[in-house]
Amino acid sequence: MGKKTTKQVPGKARPPLGPIVRSWLVFYNAASAVGWAYVLFLFFRHLLHTLPSHTWYEGVYGAVKDPLKAFLPLSLILEVLHAATGLVPSGVVPTALQMSARVFMVWGVAHLVPKIQTTVYISLFVVPWCVAEVTRYPYYVTAVLGIKSEVLLWCRYTLFIVLYPLGMFGEALTMYAALGPIKEGALHLAGIPSNLQGAFQYYYYFVLVLLLAWMPCWWPIYMHMFRQRKKALGKPSTKEE
């Protein structure tokens, strides 16, 4: 008998992307990769100017805050729209949760609580975010263009093993460190209408609930990412008869 190859049948075939959609996704993913690379550049430039000082981490937030504050909310809107309209195969809810969590960490925690801006915890989630995204978005660019890159594929589905728990740990520590100043009322509320500022007396409980929910949720997501890795890096099976 001749050689027979078993074909993997996808769960749901996606229609081919049109030229306009393809061009937009290439532009968006390339621009996102550049944006995260720029944040990582700002981090390392800050290190070059502060090391070997033992307090190098105190200025990290100040070095990277402007681009993060600018493009994270925009990324949240665009990535949810991409998922909701079927431009990408990602789920709307997971995408919204991931991007909202990042916006919350930057605007809802680091910006609102000045006392935690000089802690080392900021670096513990910003750097993993950057490293993950400077490999993820180039991988998406090659995928849209139909180019196969084994290096980007491996990075996309391997670096998370270290980066995801490190980033989650940094986010949790940052929220925990923010609870004390929030309870004391040490919040940066400039620009928020005075009739809304009273609602922040309950902000301590809001952050506390999020922190308690944060901890048990990360492990199932982490395991799901391992299952995705197995599918992405596994070799197609073949049979000979």
Side-chain angles (χ1 to χ4, degrees), residues 44-56:
F44 281 114
R45 186 178 69 174
H46 171 75
L47 287 187
L48 289 176
H49 286 93
T50 54
L51 288 177
S53 170
H54 296 300
T55 58
W56 59 267

Side-chain angles (χ1 to χ4, degrees), residues 9-186:
V9 180
K12 184 179 181 181
R14 296 181 64 226
L17 299 174
I20 296 178
V21 172
R22 188 185 299 272
S23 298
W24 164 251
L25 290 178
V26 168
F27 169 77
Y28 172 76
N29 288 311
S32 297
V34 171
W36 284 106
Y38 178 63
V39 175
L40 194 60
F41 163 76
L42 293 176
F43 172 79
F44 281 114
R45 186 178 69 174
H46 171 75
L47 287 187
L48 289 176
H49 286 93
T50 54
L51 288 177
S53 170
H54 296 300
T55 58
W56 59 267
Y57 52 83
E58 292 184 354
V60 168
Y61 177 76
V64 303
K65 65 177 181 179
D66 289 338
L68 287 178
K69 286 181 176 181
F71 72 71
L72 273 179
L74 180 60
S75 294
L76 165 63
I77 296 171
L78 291 177
E79 299 218 1
V80 170
L81 284 176
H82 290 167
T85 56
L87 297 186
V88 297
S90 304
V92 176
V93 174
T95 300
L97 288 176
Q98 180 190 23
M99 299 306 298
S100 297
R102 290 184 173 182
V103 173
F104 172 72
M105 289 303 304
V106 172
W107 278 101
V109 180
H111 172 77
L112 278 182
V113 190
K115 287 187 177 180
I116 59 100
Q117 294 174 3
T118 56
T119 66
V120 71
Y121 309 137
I122 299 292
S123 302
L124 289 180
F125 68 81
V126 168
V127 174
W129 286 0
C130 290
V131 176
E133 304 302 37
V134 296
T135 55
R136 183 169 73 99
Y137 284 110
Y139 168 76
Y140 288 160
V141 171
T142 60
V144 172
L145 293 175
I147 301 171
K148 188 174 182 180
S149 172
E150 295 294 340
V151 173
L152 288 176
L153 178 66
W154 184 88
C155 289
R156 169 72 178 93
Y157 290 100
T158 302
L159 295 182
F160 80 88
I161 296 173
V162 174
L163 297 177
Y164 184 77
L166 181 60
M168 190 285 305
F169 187 61
E171 293 166 6
L173 286 176
T174 302
M175 284 192 287
Y176 180 76
L179 288 176
I182 292 173
K183 197 170 186 178
E184 297 169 359

